[in-house]
Amino acid sequence: QKEVEQNSGPLSVPEGAIASLNCTYSDRGSQSFFWYRQYSGKSPELIMFIYSNGDKEDGRFTAQLNKASQYVSLLIRDSQPSDSATYLCAVPGAPGRRALTFGSGTRLQVQP
Amino acid sequence: DGGITQSPKYLFRKEGQNVTLSCEQNLNHDAMYWYRQDPGQGLRLIYYSQIVNDFQKGDIAEGYSVSREKKESFPLTVTSAQKNPTAFYLCASSMEGRVYNEQFFGPGTRLTVL
């Protein structure tokens, strides 16, 4: 079983809509969760992290965490064409290993 | 400006050649990482270092080597033993001692084997 799973997409939404990106993880001991945005040909950029159950909001982005269900999501409100990118979910690796484990990413397309 | 730099941006390697990818950071971060990304896939960990003069293998270390002689620098050598090195290589860094390990990435090096 993969440690971090994401639907590869593409997820296509119209401009102005809410985009919902989902991620499941296998390690129940994971304490923190990260969302990175990666434009084509560029490096990942950290946009959100969350460590408590519930919601965390930052501008148009909301991260939602449900540890019981081992599920973390990213909502993008008022989606813009500039949001079109691949969104990577990441969790800390095995205990003692500080490096992150990444999902394969979900490609989001926002249609003008 | 603080940040992570990687060079070169593009690198072409002939079969049987070793090449070294540079990664430098001026963020005063303790930990540095190398990841590899293949098309349509997530990032896979090659090596990481939490302190100078110490580093650990990641999930796909075979055919790669690293050194960490300075806090600011973590070069990656892709050796001829790496059979399929064509990929996008990403260096990252983070501050140790933080509970939540936010990692920040350099711009990447795209390596192509000719």
Side-chain angles (χ1 to χ4, degrees), chain A residues 38 41-44, chain B residues 4-13 19-24 34-38 46 64 74-76 78 85-92 105-112:
Chain A
Q38 186 176 25
K42 302 296 185 183
S43 63
Chain B
I4 305 171
T5 57
Q6 291 185 243
S7 63
K9 186 174 180 179
Y10 298 98
L11 184 58
F12 298 92
R13 191 194 94 167
V19 291
T20 297
L21 283 59
S22 169
C23 178
E24 304 275 335
W34 275 106
Y35 292 90
R36 166 180 172 147
Q37 187 176 35
D38 294 282
I46 305 173
Y64 300 98
F74 191 40
L76 174 74
V78 184
T86 295
F88 189 36
Y89 289 87
L90 291 156
C91 178
F105 285 87
T109 292
R110 198 166 297 277
L111 173 62
T112 303

Side-chain angles (χ1 to χ4, degrees), chain A residues 27 29 92-98, chain B residues 48:
Chain A
D27 183 3
R97 191 176 100 162
R98 299 279 285 172
Chain B
Y48 65 105

Side-chain angles (χ1 to χ4, degrees), chain A residues 87-110:
Chain A
Y87 290 81
L88 301 166
C89 174
V91 303
R97 191 176 100 162
R98 299 279 285 172
L100 297 176
T101 298
F102 286 82
S104 57
T106 298
R107 188 157 63 95
L108 172 66
Q109 294 177 340
V110 181

Side-chain angles (χ1 to χ4, degrees), chain A residues 31-32 34 36 38 40-46 49 51 88 92 96-105, chain B residues 33 35 37 41-43 45 48 50 59 88 90 95-107 110:
Chain A
Q31 295 296 313
S32 53
F34 302 87
Y36 286 82
Q38 186 176 25
S40 180
K42 302 296 185 183
S43 63
E45 172 193 11
L46 179 65
F49 71 92
Y51 51 86
L88 301 166
R97 191 176 100 162
R98 299 279 285 172
L100 297 176
T101 298
F102 286 82
S104 57
Chain B
Y33 312 84
Y35 292 90
Q37 187 176 35
Q41 298 191 31
L43 280 63
L45 181 67
Y48 65 105
Q50 294 177 241
D59 301 315
F88 189 36
L90 291 156
M95 182 68 74
E96 279 297 281
R98 291 172 64 93
V99 176
Y100 308 107
N101 185 27
E102 302 112 276
Q103 293 180 11
F104 300 92
F105 285 87
R110 198 166 297 277

Side-chain angles (χ1 to χ4, degrees), chain B residues 13 16-19 62-65 77-83 85:
Chain B
R13 191 194 94 167
Q17 218 176 28
N18 291 358
V19 291
E62 185 175 351
Y64 300 98
S65 66
T77 296
V78 184
T79 75
S80 57
Q82 171 49 238
K83 297 307 178 189

